[in-house]
Amino acid sequence: MNKKIAFGLMVAGLGYASTGHANNWYVGAGLGYTKANASTKVDAVDATPDFGRDKKSFTSSSILGTIFVGHTFHCNEFSWFVQGRGLWDNAELKSDVNLAAPFNKDSVKINRTGTLGFDVGATKSFYDIDFSLKLGVLLSKFDVKYDDLQGVLKERKSSYGWGFAPGLSVEKNLGFMTMGLNYEYQIYAPLKQEFSEINTSSRFSVRSKPRYHSVMITVKKAL
């Protein structure tokens, strides 16, 4: 679904550009690298009640891809822009957590399966190089998988997380297209998922704070 929405944004930009707003609209794509980190706390409680807790910093890295469509507004001293985009990566944040007896060692995995973003930014040119600062709002779908490693509880739940993403970029117009180098820091509100094991009356809570450092090479073309 996220891919369909992102593709729709690009198609909408193409259609609007054909009505006389050429050169202000652009479409593009990018490929890069993201390094993810998630400070994660796992709690457990059973009917006795016994309590268990472990805190870990989950880390992962992967290739990152994007497509985007945007519009530029030109001013005397600088330009500013708005754009929509879709992002995809396969970073898997995972770790074993030791909750101590009677819960012992469990496994948690967190995947970001798709992201939609909306950005606002400003651009200033120096010696034919464009420097940009932007701030983005992100909506991502996350899958959280819990495994007690004993074959009793294996469950996956999905939820949506909001985030914001300050970033900067450097671009060079080559005439037939514009190439850029972009950096972005993606910060999400805490995610929380709860799981239960009926046979032992145990409940597990996963609370995580995902962060992504992303570097990307982009190409875009004015319409």
Side-chain angles (χ1 to χ4, degrees), residues 143-218:
D143 284 346
V144 181
K145 302 175 184 178
Y146 200 97
D147 186 350
D148 68 357
L149 300 180
Q150 298 177 4
V152 178
L153 175 62
K154 295 181 184 291
E155 189 174 359
R156 181 181 70 181
K157 291 186 176 182
S158 297
S159 62
Y160 288 89
W162 287 97
F164 68 96
L168 55 89
S169 63
V170 179
E171 295 181 328
K172 173 66 175 178
N173 191 332
L174 304 178
F176 62 98
M177 69 175 182
T178 299
M179 292 196 66
L181 178 64
N182 302 265
Y183 167 76
E184 185 174 75
Y185 184 39
Q186 301 165 353
I187 306 167
Y188 286 90
L191 302 173
K192 185 176 181 179
Q193 286 286 7
E194 294 185 348
F195 303 86
S196 60
E197 208 296 296
I198 298 176
N199 294 334
T200 60
S201 299
S202 298
R203 302 190 306 275
F204 305 89
S205 173
V206 179
R207 185 177 177 86
S208 187
K209 298 178 180 179
R211 304 287 188 267
Y212 294 78
H213 292 276
S214 300
V215 179
M216 185 174 296
I217 294 175
T218 60

Side-chain angles (χ1 to χ4, degrees), residues 67-123:
I67 58 171
F68 55 88
V69 57
H71 189 280
T72 300
F73 301 86
H74 300 286
C75 302
N76 292 331
E77 299 298 327
F78 64 93
S79 299
W80 64 282
F81 62 90
V82 293
Q83 68 179 18
R85 55 186 168 131
L87 290 165
W88 301 273
D89 66 84
N90 61 352
E92 185 174 66
L93 294 157
K94 62 181 179 179
S95 178
D96 290 343
V97 292
N98 191 354
L99 301 173
F103 306 102
N104 300 314
K105 184 180 290 186
D106 295 351
S107 174
V108 178
K109 298 179 182 179
I110 303 172
N111 295 87
R112 184 174 65 169
T113 58
T115 299
L116 292 177
F118 179 79
D119 307 311
V120 176
T123 301

Side-chain angles (χ1 to χ4, degrees), residues 8-26:
L9 288 171
M10 186 172 68
V11 172
L14 286 169
Y16 190 71
S18 65
T19 65
H21 294 267
N23 299 324
N24 291 326
W25 284 92
Y26 60 85

